Amino acid sequence: MNLRGKLALVTGGSDGIGREIALQLQAAGADVIVTGRSAEKLQAMAALGFATIAGDLSVPAGVDKVVSGVANRPLALLVNNAGVGSEYELDRPDTLESAAHCIRTNLDAPIALCTRLLPVLRAQPEAVIVNVTSGLAIAPRAGGSIYCATKAGLRSYTQAIRYLLKDSNVRVIEALPPVVETNMTAGRAGKKMSAHDCAAEIVRGIRTGKSEVNAGMVKILQLVHSISPALARRIMIRF
């Protein structure tokens, strides 16, 4: 896709990987709308020339606000990047709401946005959906079971709609980051990819027509997983 002049929507675009994706799309000539929950961070993005939509994607009203915010506009690129972690613990029923919040944000919202914005995307000469999953969709960690489950679910959904849209003008990309240096991973030790470098690989994949972007160490993880799923899980536990 030639990004110049294209209208893009990046959810979770005021921080982390999403912010870097938005900045790099803008640098490539795209008009970019970002969503987020923090008024302060959205104001900072607006000061950089981005259109912004404030909304919590874990609730239907937040999804409605995003959909209405791009209504009647020539949206050509949807990047479902927004995501949250979960404090769920298997033996603690009081953490089920945290699990539900994670599922609504990471899985339900991207499905809703793909479905509700598809008519707009189909109306363009060419369009792209990017669903940001994770290397954890391939090799989950026990300590993040709900987060991993949402990313695995989004991975499966992405593969399915890619097939459903294979004869259309809408290309579907799955982006699989490794552990990336963001606020979400601030408490984790070990090797991390920079958000800038991760976003660069994703944007390159959009421009060059990839259907799957395995960023950083996920390239190796995919290869290892094809040989030994157990070894791939041990790699993710380490990193």
Side-chain angles (χ1 to χ4, degrees):
M1 172 182 271
N2 180 355
L3 293 167
R4 186 161 299 281
K6 297 294 194 303
L7 179 64
L9 171 66
V10 182
T11 68
S14 63
D15 198 9
I17 299 171
R19 182 178 186 275
E20 288 295 333
I21 292 172
L23 288 168
Q24 293 180 37
L25 290 175
Q26 183 189 62
D31 297 318
V32 185
I33 305 168
V34 299
T35 79
R37 294 174 296 169
S38 166
E40 182 179 356
K41 290 177 181 178
L42 288 175
Q43 287 173 1
M45 295 301 285
L48 295 174
F50 294 93
T52 65
I53 301 173
D56 181 354
L57 294 179
S58 72
V59 295
V63 175
D64 291 345
K65 193 171 183 181
V66 172
V67 172
S68 63
V70 296
N72 302 316
R73 301 191 64 183
L75 183 69
L77 174 59
L78 168 62
V79 182
N80 282 309
N81 164 79
V84 297
S86 172
E87 296 178 358
Y88 169 79
E89 294 183 21
L90 181 59
D91 57 354
R92 287 183 54 197
D94 61 302
T95 61
L96 283 171
E97 176 51 37
S98 176
H101 180 263
C102 182
I103 293 166
R104 292 193 300 264
T105 304
N106 297 5
L107 183 57
D108 293 351
I111 291 173
L113 291 175
C114 286
T115 304
R116 295 178 64 181
L117 295 176
L118 184 59
V120 181
L121 294 166
R122 276 182 161 155
Q124 310 314 312
E126 63 171 338
V128 176
I129 294 171
V130 181
N131 288 333
V132 179
T133 64
S134 169
L136 293 168
I138 302 168
R141 295 176 68 250
S145 56
I146 300 299
Y147 179 84
C148 296
T150 63
K151 293 303 185 180
L154 187 57
R155 174 172 169 78
S156 181
Y157 174 75
T158 302
Q159 292 172 344
I161 66 169
R162 182 184 298 127
Y163 176 79
L164 293 173
L165 294 171
K166 63 183 176 65
D167 297 322
S168 77
N169 64 312
V170 183
R171 183 160 51 91
V172 180
I173 301 172
E174 180 186 7
L176 297 96
V179 180
V180 176
E181 186 69 58
T182 66
N183 289 333
M184 185 184 295
T185 65
R188 289 190 58 182
K191 185 177 180 180
K192 301 177 187 178
M193 188 178 194
S194 75
H196 177 276
D197 289 350
C198 181
E201 292 202 27
I202 294 170
V203 172
R204 189 179 305 117
I206 296 169
R207 299 177 77 166
T208 59
K210 288 189 174 181
S211 60
E212 193 168 285
V213 178
N214 296 296
M217 66 163 284
V218 177
K219 299 183 185 75
I220 301 171
L221 181 67
Q222 284 272 38
L223 176 61
V224 172
H225 189 268
S226 67
I227 301 168
S228 172
L231 179 57
R233 284 193 294 271
R234 287 199 294 273
I235 291 172
M236 287 309 296
I237 288 170
R238 180 179 177 185
F239 291 107

